[in-house]
Amino acid sequence: MQMTLAQKLLQRHTNDAITQDGQIVSCSVSVVLANDITGPLAIRSFLGMGAKKVFDKDRIILVMDHFTPQKDIDSANQVCISRTFAKEQGITHYYEGGACGVEHALLPEQGLVQPGDLVVGADSHTCTYGGLGAFATGMGSTDIAAAMALGETWLKVPASIRVEYTGRMDPMLRAKDLILLLIGKIGVDGALYKALEFGGDVVDSLPLEGRLTMANMAIEAGAKAGLFACDAITQEYCAAHGGLIVEAIGPDAGASYEKTVTIDITGQKPVVSCPHIPGNVKAVADLPTIPINQVVIGSCTNGRISDMRDAASILRGRKVDPHVRCIVLPATPTVWKECLYEGLMEVFMEAGCIVGPCTCGPCLGGHMGILADGERAVSTSNRNFKGRMGSLQSEVYLGSPLVAAASAVCGRVAGPEDL
Amino acid sequence: MLYTGSVHTVGEHIDTDAIIPARFLVTSDPKILGSHCMAGLAEDWIARVHEGDILVAGRNFGCGSSREHAPIALLGAGIPLVIGHSFARIFYRNAFNMGLPLFEIGDQVQAFHEGDVISVDTDTGIITNQTRSATIQCPPIPASMAKILAAQGLVGYVKKRLASQA
């Protein structure tokens, strides 16, 4: 059988012969992930199941990233639950405090996920690791508890949608624009229960961090996974992050797809996703003047070093509009230090940004940048649901770091060409 | 199991931030989460809901985050099951894992209106709209999901399995 990437990756983890989409298979998992919000629930379920030991203490990863640094007594108490569990179980990869970063930026950077892996995480953006050529999908805490106890989970083999990006990429266009264009085209349930398999000349030459950005938002189209082949770019990244030597993995020629979506990006300019749904995608240039109060540059979507460099390229020698608070949150301690050593921190501070810790914080309206009634933000994160960043009467626009930084300078939703 | 209750309708693409906003995710207590159910849609939504009321949702209900707090909040609010046009996949798994049955009925959701009194037989999949004297036969709950529901959720299901291995 000629296999899609989804079929091929799942086949590596099941003894059942995969013969068709829709088949339910029992799979062994490579990595099981939870965070400070979903971990305590998973632990409660794990204990409720009567489980005594995790299946493998080296393959459970707990990252206390959402409300870090602990924002109040309740969130601090939640972290205690995970910390105690990690200690009792001898969990190797437990991240808190200064070692902590935004989980989906941290794991690839630390070489904790490899191409070909099957990763399940109690966080919907677990699909990020599809950028590395891993089958990765989000689940709830109790599914994760079962995986922690058994080392396996059940999965339905998803039908795949092949997405081909063709054409010439504008120098101001980024991976974020590419994925927003897709979500705008197929809608927020356009890939419901399915896998997105990305290909075409444009993504074949896309740097790995951009692939992670795109895979990250597969869930915003309802997808179970967003997958990239593991190629020379992936192999180079893995060698540099954890010194991993990995084999190339790609779909078979002639594999069967539910459909193919082709997106020609020639002449395409930067876009934003307008409130209150990620599928509401418009070219920045087509928008009227929309004043803003806040900009957030960071998150599991766009908090990596290439994103920080993009933001700094706009902010260098410029000032953030006095009516805007521009919050820069490098996603991991390593990214933070790279920003420091490369002089990007100086750029951000001279421009008038607030530089904060490695946290999910404002992306989910947790803390460190909450919107008031009637306020509006441009964010490099992945969701702009009503009330996502604070008040139900606030608005969030999603865009690339170039768009976010340009908006911070202009005091309105703007692109790099507006400067 | 037969459930009878009044219908509350919500629109399409209701995300888990609407079902339970992130600022309430500092607990996993069903009653506390239930008291904030749908606070991301309207702060006073929960005040209109009574124990046993049934939710009827549009397309892609439960999209967004993987937070299991969403089905827990619905159960905590006293809602025993959800009928929807379609469901986001993580929410779908989570709901059954928490013991919240879901019925996916596509465009037939349009036959239900706010305040209708309906009864749902979760074993046969028959939904009767008593207010409008209409009946719908839903596809049965998939066998893999029914097994989990029968054990009151995935915790009970895995508990049995681990006990049988011991």
Side-chain angles (χ1 to χ4, degrees):
Chain A
M1 179 177 154
Q2 307 301 303
M3 286 189 162
T4 62
L5 198 44
Q7 292 167 338
K8 209 173 221 184
L9 291 170
L10 289 177
Q11 187 63 78
R12 293 165 73 103
H13 297 275
T14 180
N15 294 323
D16 306 330
I18 292 177
T19 55
Q20 58 182 349
D21 293 335
Q23 192 179 339
I24 289 178
V25 289
S26 180
C27 295
S28 57
V29 296
S30 315
V31 172
V32 184
L33 171 69
N35 59 46
D36 49 334
I37 290 179
T38 59
L41 260 178
I43 292 162
R44 188 172 75 176
S45 292
F46 180 88
L47 299 174
M49 288 166 180
K52 298 282 185 280
K53 284 303 258 182
V54 297
F55 82 104
D56 185 341
K57 67 182 179 55
D58 298 329
R59 298 211 228 172
I60 313 286
I61 303 179
L62 299 173
V63 188
M64 305 296 103
D65 57 355
H66 276 60
F67 295 140
T68 189
Q70 284 81 329
K71 78 178 176 97
D72 54 21
I73 297 167
D74 288 336
S75 62
N77 282 336
Q78 296 237 95
V79 171
C80 289
I81 296 171
S82 298
R83 187 193 300 142
T84 303
F85 180 79
K87 200 172 272 181
E88 284 170 1
Q89 295 282 335
I91 303 288
T92 312
H93 302 293
Y94 173 77
Y95 294 93
E96 191 194 330
C100 187
V102 175
E103 52 194 324
H104 310 308
L106 189 69
L107 269 54
E109 171 199 286
Q110 297 295 316
L112 296 175
V113 174
Q114 295 190 37
D117 278 355
L118 173 59
V119 184
V120 294
D123 188 280
S124 59
H125 293 108
T126 301
C127 53
T128 307
Y129 314 118
L132 278 169
F135 192 100
T137 195
M139 293 182 176
S141 293
T142 299
D143 266 319
I144 288 310
M148 282 180 177
L150 305 171
E152 59 183 62
T153 192
W154 67 266
L155 288 166
K156 194 192 256 189
V157 179
S160 292
I161 298 174
R162 175 84 182 170
V163 186
E164 296 266 352
Y165 288 91
T166 62
R168 271 169 55 93
M169 193 143 157
D170 182 278
M172 291 297 130
L173 214 63
R174 290 293 179 272
K176 183 64 160 283
D177 299 294
L178 301 183
I179 189 64
L180 290 182
L181 285 166
L182 175 70
I183 299 165
K185 191 176 171 103
I186 68 174
V188 294
D189 61 353
L192 194 59
Y193 302 118
K194 299 184 175 68
L196 291 168
E197 184 183 298
F198 298 103
D201 294 345
V202 174
V203 301
D204 287 349
S205 56
L206 197 68
L208 203 282
E209 290 194 354
R211 297 180 185 182
L212 295 171
T213 297
M214 291 180 68
N216 174 270
M217 290 193 72
I219 179 72
E220 263 52 73
K224 184 173 198 156
L227 304 173
F228 287 79
C230 170
D231 60 11
I233 290 174
T234 326
Q235 288 169 321
E236 194 181 324
Y237 180 92
C238 291
H241 296 82
L244 306 169
I245 308 296
V246 297
E247 57 167 326
I249 311 167
D252 293 329
S256 173
Y257 296 93
E258 187 182 272
K259 66 174 171 181
T260 297
V261 177
T262 304
I263 298 179
D264 183 352
I265 55 156
T266 306
Q268 179 67 50
K269 298 290 182 190
V271 295
V272 284
S273 164
C274 300
H276 289 288
I277 194 160
N280 189 14
V281 176
K282 296 190 172 114
V284 175
D286 292 343
L287 294 173
T289 300
I290 303 168
I292 59 168
N293 310 89
Q294 175 166 302
V295 164
V296 176
I297 299 169
S299 84
C300 58
T301 317
N302 283 118
R304 301 180 182 84
I305 188 62
S306 55
D307 302 312
M308 297 295 134
R309 288 176 188 143
D310 271 351
S313 74
I314 299 285
L315 293 167
R316 187 170 284 115
R318 295 194 174 96
K319 292 284 181 195
V320 171
D321 183 276
H323 300 100
V324 175
R325 46 186 192 273
C326 179
I327 303 163
V328 181
L329 304 170
T332 71
T334 301
V335 176
W336 218 107
K337 285 186 279 186
E338 284 175 310
C339 288
L340 187 65
Y341 303 151
E342 292 183 18
L344 309 187
M345 287 308 180
E346 193 181 341
V347 173
F348 296 143
M349 293 307 288
E350 288 298 332
C353 298
I354 305 163
V355 180
C358 314
T359 182
C360 305
C363 165
L364 70 158
H367 65 162
M368 304 236 170
I370 302 300
L371 299 176
D373 296 345
E375 283 197 325
R376 202 176 281 127
V378 174
S379 175
T380 65
S381 53
N382 41 48
R383 291 194 172 130
N384 57 354
F385 302 146
K386 196 179 171 198
R388 172 78 177 179
M389 201 173 273
S391 163
L392 285 178
Q393 279 75 49
S394 64
E395 292 182 351
V396 177
Y397 288 74
L398 305 174
S400 73
L402 291 175
V403 167
S407 301
V409 172
C410 295
R412 61 184 171 85
V413 182
E417 285 162 349
D418 294 316
L419 294 167
Chain B
M1 191 92 151
L2 186 72
Y3 296 93
T4 301
S6 293
V7 165
H8 292 279
T9 58
V10 291
E12 51 184 29
H13 307 304
I14 298 295
D15 57 84
T16 54
D17 279 84
I19 300 170
I20 184 78
R23 64 183 179 279
F24 300 121
L25 304 184
V26 290
T27 176
S28 40
D29 183 284
K31 283 291 159 205
I32 299 173
L33 291 169
S35 72
H36 302 298
C37 189
M38 294 292 175
L41 195 62
E43 293 283 359
D44 60 346
W45 190 86
I46 190 66
R48 303 193 291 271
V49 175
H50 300 98
E51 181 84 25
D53 286 358
I54 291 168
L55 189 64
V56 178
R59 318 166 63 93
N60 198 26
F61 183 76
C63 59
S65 120
S66 71
R67 62 190 70 163
E68 206 165 76
H69 310 67
I72 295 174
L74 290 163
L75 286 165
I79 295 165
L81 61 95
V82 183
I83 298 167
H85 177 285
S86 52
F87 296 95
R89 62 158 283 279
I90 303 177
F91 179 83
Y92 186 87
R93 281 183 85 122
N94 284 348
F96 283 93
N97 287 347
M98 292 298 99
L100 176 72
L102 306 179
F103 290 90
E104 200 164 47
I105 63 169
D107 289 336
Q108 293 185 98
V109 289
Q110 287 163 11
F112 299 91
H113 300 271
E114 187 77 20
D116 286 359
V117 175
I118 67 170
S119 55
V120 181
D121 186 326
T122 54
D123 299 319
T124 61
I126 292 174
I127 304 176
T128 308
N129 189 330
Q130 297 175 4
T131 305
R132 291 167 205 280
S133 306
T135 297
I136 289 176
Q137 171 70 63
C138 300
I141 290 173
S144 54
M145 294 297 172
K147 276 192 294 190
I148 293 170
L149 275 184
Q152 276 88 50
L154 187 63
V155 169
Y157 179 76
V158 176
K159 191 175 187 173
K160 272 192 209 161
R161 188 173 146 182
L162 286 173
S164 71
Q165 284 173 357

